[in-house]
Amino acid sequence: MKTIYVLLALVLVTSCAQKPENPATLSEEQVIARGRQLVSLGGCHDCHTPKVFDATGMHLDESRLLSGHPFGSPLPAIDERVFQPGHWTFFNEHLTATVGVWGMTFSKNLTPHETGLKGWTPEVFIATMRTGKHMGIEHGRPIMPPMPWENLKGLPDEDLITIFKFLQSLPPIDNFVPEPMNPTQAIAFK
């Protein structure tokens, strides 16, 4: 069994270490397929896709892929101690809302709807991933935890472009997601 895990790790490291192809030399289908692969390997669905539960466990809600925190979904009461250092960070049942020492954050809608990434360009997406600032704006608000933008900032432009093109290929989903909240706002949020 250990050999299988070692081989799988070698395949992943080898495929990730290879220089990505320039999206301009790939067909649109190949670019989108590569973007889908990177989104999957990057764990984007973990936070940006709502979940459904059944007798076999938790699954991605295929009707709302990468649409972010579901608008209007109820959230449990917040224990104010979570905002103090040394306490737990909590997720809601869909893993799309998080509360911790920074406040409360909601997974963004990544579909090409006006409540998501409609109007974004590859340049804006790349700047956002490189700077950790919303829409790549130098003095804009930071991308909040638990978004691991630091893990993506070193990706080559070609990979970030394929991710963006995959996201733009998704069906647009109308899902307004609230802005992040500091601890005081989060406590007052109902």
Side-chain angles (χ1 to χ4, degrees), residues 3-183:
T3 305
I4 292 172
Y5 291 126
V6 170
L7 288 174
L8 179 59
L10 285 172
V11 168
L12 285 173
V13 168
T14 303
S15 68
C16 291
Q18 293 173 353
K19 183 175 179 344
E21 292 186 58
N22 184 336
T25 65
L26 299 175
S27 71
E28 193 67 15
E29 292 82 21
Q30 290 171 314
V31 169
I32 290 169
R34 173 73 175 156
R36 179 182 296 111
Q37 178 186 43
L38 292 171
V39 162
S40 180
L41 287 171
C44 303
H45 290 288
D46 293 351
C47 295
H48 289 277
T49 297
K51 315 304 179 291
V52 292
F53 298 85
D54 63 19
T56 63
M58 181 178 72
H59 308 280
L60 300 178
D61 183 342
E62 298 285 334
S63 70
R64 299 187 291 178
L65 290 179
L66 299 165
S67 65
H69 177 72
F71 178 76
S73 65
L75 294 169
I78 298 170
D79 180 340
E80 293 181 27
R81 292 177 296 172
V82 76
F83 300 116
Q84 301 167 7
H87 289 272
W88 288 89
T89 297
F90 294 103
F91 286 85
N92 71 331
E93 67 186 64
H94 293 286
L95 306 178
T96 59
T98 311
V99 63
V101 295
W102 63 87
M104 186 176 347
T105 51
F106 305 89
S107 300
K108 181 152 182 68
N109 180 351
L110 300 180
T111 72
H113 188 271
E114 47 270 351
T115 59
L117 300 183
K118 182 175 183 174
W120 283 46
T121 64
E123 294 76 22
V124 167
F125 185 78
I126 289 170
T128 300
M129 293 301 103
R130 297 262 188 267
T131 66
K133 299 289 185 177
H134 180 65
M135 295 193 74
I137 300 169
E138 183 179 349
H139 299 292
R141 73 160 174 83
I143 296 175
M144 302 299 289
M147 175 60 190
W149 68 270
E150 297 92 345
N151 297 347
L152 301 172
K153 72 180 182 180
L155 284 177
D157 286 354
E158 293 83 2
D159 279 343
L160 291 173
I161 289 169
T162 61
I163 291 170
F164 179 73
K165 286 192 174 200
F166 166 67
L167 296 173
Q168 292 294 295
S169 77
L170 296 169
I173 297 175
D174 183 357
N175 183 44
F176 172 78
V177 175
E179 289 294 313
M181 299 176 192
N182 65 39

